[in-house]
Amino acid sequence: MQTYEAGKYDVIVVGAGHAGSEAALASARLGAKTLLLTMNLEMVAFMPCNPSIGGPAKGVVVREIDALGGQMGINIDATQIQMRLLNTSKGPAVQALRAQADKQAYAQTMKQTLEDTENLDLEQGMAVRLHLEEGEVKGVISETGALYRSEAVILTAGTSSRGKIIIGELSYSSGPNNTLPSVQLSEHLLEMGIELARFKTGTPPRIHSDSVNYEVTEEQPGDTEPIHFSYISKDEDFNQENVSCWLTHTNQGTHEIIQDNLHRAPMFSGMVEGVGARYCPSIEDKIVRFSDKPRHQIFIEPEGLNTKEMYVQGLSTSLPEDVQLDALHSIAGLENAKLMRPGYAIEYDVVIPHQLQLTLELKDYPGLFTAGQMNGTSGYEEAAGQGLIAGINAALKVQGKEPFILRRDEAYIGVMIDDLVTKGTTEPYRLLTSRAEYRLLLRHDNADLRLTEKGREIGLVDDARFNHYEEKVAQIDEEMKRLSKIRLTPNTEGIDEYFERVNSTPLKDGILASDLLKRPEIRYHDLIQLVPREEGNVRRDVGEQVETQIKYQGYINKANRKVEKMASMESKQIPQDIDWDKVDNLATEARDRLKLINPTTLGQASRVSGVNPADIAILSVYLSQPYSQIPRIKQGA
C-alpha cells in the first residue's frame, strides 16, 4: 500500500466507542497530543445495545471513572431520562445507580466534549494496519494510505473487529447496528502473532412505543429526588422528565414458540461460533437453560425523548425475524407490537487478555494498548473503565512517567483488569459485586474518597473538582467528630416521639449520637433533627457518607485488616525476567500458567488459575533470596 505522512501524535486511539472516548480524553487532558480515529463520526460513544448506564458493580465503575477525572458520569447525568438507586433494601456494598439514557443525546454530548478538548483531534478513518519500527508500535496506517505516527497506540475496535451479524439463517459481515466492520486490522493483528478469540453478544428487537398496551404492564418510574453519577453534578441540573420503563413477562406460549423453532436458532444450529455472555443470555438460551422457569422478566425501555423506539430488555435474540415477531406478540402488552429493528447476534474478535500487562499494554509489543470489548469484556461501563486506564498509561508512557495501576482493594476497575490479565476469560466478562473480595470498601458512595486524590496526582482532576472533594472530606470529618461528642439522654427533647416513629427501643441511659446512629433503623437525616448543626445541614452526600462509615465501621475495619494482611504479598515484586524453569518444585501446571501470565507480584501470582498455595509458598522462598540470586533468563536466550 502506498502511504503518505498524515500527522504525528503522542498517542493514537483507534475506535471512538466508550473505551476510545475515555482513552482519548484522558490522554489529551494529560497533555499528550492525541488523535482519535473512528470509522464513523456519527457513531461516537453510541449505544448499540441497551440505552442505559450503570447497575450493580457497573454503576460503581462509572463513579470510579468520574472520581479519577473521566467523562462517563458527567455525560450520563446530562443526558439521562430516568435515574434509579438500586438495591436500597440491601447494604451499601451492593447499592448502585442505573440511568436510562437518551441514546442520541448521550452520543452527541460526548462527541461535542471530544471536539472541544485541547490536544485532541477527532477524525474519521479506518485503521487497517499498525506501523511498526523494530518491534515497537509507532503509529497506524489507514485504508487510504494515511500514516499517522505516534509513540503509543490504543486499540478499542470493540465488536467491529471482524464483526458478523447473525439473524436466523442470515449472516453478513458488519459492525454493530449495520456499521462497517474492521476486518483488515484483525487480520494484521493475527499476522503479528497476537492471539485472538471469537466472542458473541446480542441485542433484542426494538419496537414502536405507540404499539404497546401499557395498561397490562407494570410501570417502573425513576427516583424523583436528585441523584447523580458524577460527584460534581448539581441537584438543580437533575432531569425531572423521569420517563418510565415498563415491566412485563414471557409466558408458556412464548416459550413454546421459541422451543418449536430452536432448530432455526443460530446458536443451536451451529451458525454461531463465538462464545456468548453467561450473565446476559439470549432468550432462546434462557428457555433452554432454565426450562423450569414459567416466565422471564421483560423490560420495555425508551431509547430517548425524541424517538418512538423502545428497547425490549430481556429478549435478546438471533432467532429468525418471523419467530421474533411471534414471540413478541405472545407477551402481555406486546400483542400488537410493531417491529422497528430485529434483534441480532454479533460475533467479533477479542485479544486474549493474558497477553496484556496490568497497564493494558501488550507484553510483546511496547507502545500498543488495547481496551474495551476488544479485551473480552461486555458492557459500556467496563469498556470505559479500561479506556480511561489505557489512556492514562499511554500518556504516562510517552511522558516517561511511572505507570498507573489500580489494586483490587482500590477499585472495581482494578478488580476487572486484574481478573482479565491474571485469570483470563473464556466468555464476555461482566463485572459482578461477587468478583470483588473487598466490595464493602468499593462502594458507589465512596469512589471519590478512594480515587480523587489519585486522579489529582496523575493530573486529571482539576482545581474545581478537587476543591469540591476537599470540602466534602472536611465536612465528613467535622460531622463525625461532632456526633461522637454529643450525648443524648432519655430527657432529650423529642426523642421519645422519634423512637416511636422509627420503631426503636427507648433509651434507658445516655448514649453518644454516633453510637445511636449504629442502630439499623436510625437514619442520619432523621437523627440530625434531634442534634441540629448550628451552621446548617451538611451536603446530602456528606450525611450519607457519615451514616455509612459509622454504621459499618466494624465491617470496614475488618475488611481493611484483610487488605493489610495481603499488602506484603501485593508489594513483593517478581522480576519480569525470572526463569520459571529454574524455580524448583513448582507443579507443572503452575509453572506453565506462571510462564504464560508472568505476574508482577506475589499477590498476583496467587490469583493465577492453576497455582495453588504450595506453589506460592515455594515462590515466596525464592523471592526472599537476595535479588541477584533469583534465577533469571539470560539475555538473548
Side-chain angles (χ1 to χ4, degrees):
M1 177 188 294
Q2 183 69 39
T3 63
Y4 69 93
E5 296 284 341
K8 190 169 187 338
Y9 295 87
D10 295 318
V11 176
I12 296 173
V13 181
V14 176
H18 303 279
S21 296
E22 292 290 349
L25 286 169
S27 172
R29 288 168 174 170
L30 289 177
K33 185 181 179 184
T34 304
L35 170 67
L36 178 53
L37 191 65
T38 181
M39 292 188 291
N40 187 344
L41 286 176
E42 305 309 315
M43 296 291 289
V44 170
F46 190 69
M47 296 178 171
C49 198
N50 56 314
S52 68
I53 295 290
K58 292 169 175 278
V60 184
V61 169
V62 181
R63 283 227 160 154
E64 291 175 351
I65 291 168
D66 183 73
L68 287 167
Q71 195 65 28
M72 179 174 265
I74 295 171
N75 211 61
I76 185 58
D77 283 350
T79 58
Q80 58 89 9
I81 56 178
Q82 186 200 98
M83 187 85 81
R84 295 180 70 185
L85 180 59
L86 307 179
N87 297 328
T88 53
S89 63
K90 300 178 181 178
V94 294
Q95 291 179 4
L97 289 174
R98 185 178 188 271
Q100 291 296 133
D102 186 314
K103 180 177 286 192
Q104 295 296 333
Y106 184 94
Q108 291 164 1
T109 303
M110 186 66 84
K111 181 171 181 280
Q112 185 174 351
T113 300
L114 292 163
E115 291 171 339
D116 292 342
T117 299
E118 292 183 18
N119 299 319
L120 177 56
D121 290 345
L122 177 61
E123 188 171 330
Q124 183 165 294
M126 181 185 290
V128 294
R129 296 184 68 82
L130 295 167
H131 176 63
L132 302 173
E133 294 180 5
E134 297 180 356
E136 293 192 15
V137 175
K138 294 293 183 179
V140 301
I141 301 171
S142 79
E143 63 178 347
T144 62
L147 169 58
Y148 301 92
R149 297 183 184 274
S150 68
E151 294 301 310
V153 173
I154 306 171
L155 300 182
T156 66
T159 56
S160 294
S161 301
R162 278 199 304 180
K164 182 172 77 170
I165 281 181
I166 304 170
I167 306 172
E169 295 85 4
L170 172 69
S171 68
Y172 54 93
S173 181
S174 175
N177 249 46
N178 285 327
T179 55
L180 286 173
S182 174
V183 177
Q184 290 172 277
L185 184 57
S186 275
E187 292 173 346
H188 179 57
L189 295 180
L190 288 170
E191 290 172 11
M192 292 169 60
I194 294 173
E195 296 180 62
L196 304 181
R198 292 289 277 180
F199 280 0
K200 174 198 80 81
T201 188
T203 69
R206 270 68 154 189
I207 59 176
H208 197 292
S209 63
D210 293 346
S211 66
V212 178
N213 178 11
Y214 297 101
E215 292 184 0
V216 296
T217 64
E218 181 183 332
E219 186 172 9
Q220 303 281 302
D223 293 345
T224 55
E225 188 167 331
I227 46 179
H228 316 282
F229 273 106
S230 176
Y231 289 98
I232 59 173
S233 292
K234 299 177 181 178
D235 285 356
E236 55 264 33
D237 295 330
F238 181 73
N239 183 4
Q240 298 292 337
E241 290 280 353
N242 198 0
V243 179
S244 290
C245 298
W246 306 85
L247 173 64
T248 184
H249 297 84
T250 62
N251 52 57
Q252 191 59 40
T254 313
H255 298 187
E256 289 176 0
I257 290 169
I258 293 170
Q259 287 170 336
D260 290 345
N261 287 277
L262 286 178
H263 63 286
R264 301 177 64 195
M267 67 175 298
F268 294 110
S269 67
M271 280 188 66
V272 172
E273 299 174 5
V275 181
R278 184 190 323 181
Y279 301 103
C280 190
S282 65
I283 187 63
E284 52 266 39
D285 194 18
K286 282 191 279 190
I287 297 304
V288 171
R289 286 168 54 192
F290 308 107
S291 58
D292 58 318
K293 301 292 184 184
R295 65 179 192 171
H296 296 282
Q297 288 185 329
I298 301 293
F299 290 94
I300 307 167
E301 304 176 345
E303 295 223 324
L305 298 178
N306 299 308
T307 178
K308 293 285 188 177
E309 282 191 80
M310 302 288 278
Y311 183 88
V312 189
Q313 172 74 24
L315 206 69
S316 175
T317 183
S318 58
L319 283 162
E321 191 169 320
D322 61 301
V323 182
Q324 293 187 34
L325 272 168
D326 290 343
L328 277 169
H329 292 160
S330 71
I331 297 170
L334 305 182
E335 294 88 349
N336 299 305
K338 291 184 178 179
L339 186 68
M340 296 185 72
R341 303 182 199 228
Y344 62 85
I346 183 167
E347 288 187 342
Y348 56 97
D349 287 337
V350 300
V351 173
I352 300 176
H354 70 74
Q355 300 167 98
L356 305 174
Q357 301 179 49
L358 292 172
T359 59
L360 298 181
E361 184 178 19
L362 268 80
K363 296 171 183 174
D364 292 341
Y365 283 96
L368 178 60
F369 297 76
T370 56
Q373 283 186 269
M374 201 167 189
N375 285 346
T377 56
S378 63
Y380 313 138
E381 304 84 357
E382 289 96 333
Q386 291 175 70
L388 179 69
I389 299 303
I392 289 171
N393 280 313
L396 293 177
K397 180 182 180 70
V398 168
Q399 294 164 357
K401 298 178 181 177
E402 288 296 310
F404 179 68
I405 296 172
L406 289 170
R407 300 192 311 268
R408 297 181 69 90
D409 61 286
E410 292 178 323
Y412 268 96
I413 296 174
V415 171
M416 169 179 60
I417 293 175
D418 184 67
D419 278 353
L420 289 171
V421 174
T422 306
K423 302 177 181 179
T425 184
T426 56
E427 63 187 46
Y429 175 96
R430 180 178 182 175
L431 262 174
L432 306 166
T433 54
S434 59
R435 295 190 190 274
E437 59 270 45
Y438 306 113
R439 56 186 171 274
L440 184 56
L441 302 179
L442 308 181
R443 308 184 307 275
H444 86 107
D445 61 88
N446 72 347
D448 56 341
L449 303 182
R450 291 185 276 120
L451 299 174
T452 299
E453 291 187 18
K454 292 181 181 295
R456 180 68 168 181
E457 291 170 7
I458 297 167
L460 281 182
V461 171
D462 61 21
D463 291 344
R465 178 185 285 274
F466 196 64
N467 290 340
H468 184 82
Y469 161 78
E470 288 191 311
E471 179 184 301
K472 177 179 177 178
V473 172
Q475 285 193 14
I476 292 170
D477 185 58
E478 176 189 333
E479 185 64 354
M480 290 187 69
K481 287 179 178 176
R482 187 180 78 90
L483 294 180
S484 68
K485 295 176 182 177
I486 296 176
R487 181 168 290 276
L488 299 167
T489 70
N491 298 322
T492 300
E493 183 178 352
I495 197 165
D496 289 336
E497 294 86 346
Y498 171 63
F499 282 149
E500 184 176 353
R501 178 162 54 85
V502 298
N503 196 27
S504 190
T505 305
L507 295 180
K508 295 182 179 179
D509 201 351
I511 187 173
L512 292 174
S514 55
D515 289 335
L516 183 61
L517 188 55
K518 292 178 181 179
R519 293 186 181 184
E521 69 276 9
I522 304 296
R523 304 302 304 275
Y524 174 83
H525 58 74
D526 289 328
L527 178 64
I528 199 69
Q529 306 303 316
L530 296 175
V531 289
R533 288 165 49 92
E534 293 181 4
E535 52 280 314
N537 290 344
V538 296
R539 290 169 13 194
R540 185 178 69 247
D541 59 342
V542 170
E544 292 171 352
Q545 191 59 223
V546 168
E547 179 175 333
T548 298
Q549 289 193 27
I550 289 177
K551 279 189 186 301
Y552 296 91
Q553 186 175 40
Y555 296 104
I556 292 170
N557 290 342
K558 184 177 179 181
N560 280 324
R561 286 194 293 271
K562 288 184 178 180
V563 172
E564 291 170 4
K565 189 175 179 181
M566 283 295 294
S568 61
M569 289 183 68
E570 297 295 345
S571 63
K572 193 69 173 179
Q573 296 292 313
I574 300 175
Q576 288 301 277
D577 59 350
I578 187 172
D579 190 340
W580 294 106
D581 290 325
K582 297 281 181 64
V583 180
D584 297 330
N585 300 316
L586 286 176
T588 301
E589 182 185 6
R591 193 187 309 279
D592 291 343
R593 292 295 298 173
L594 290 167
K595 287 167 72 174
L596 180 69
I597 305 300
N598 203 26
T600 58
T601 68
L602 188 61
Q604 187 187 0
S606 71
R607 294 186 292 275
V608 174
S609 177
V611 177
N612 61 43
D615 299 310
I616 294 301
I618 292 166
L619 182 56
S620 180
V621 171
Y622 268 85
L623 296 177
S624 66
Q625 300 177 87
Y627 197 75
S628 60
Q629 294 182 24
I630 297 173
R632 317 287 265 280
I633 296 174
K634 294 180 180 179
Q635 292 294 327

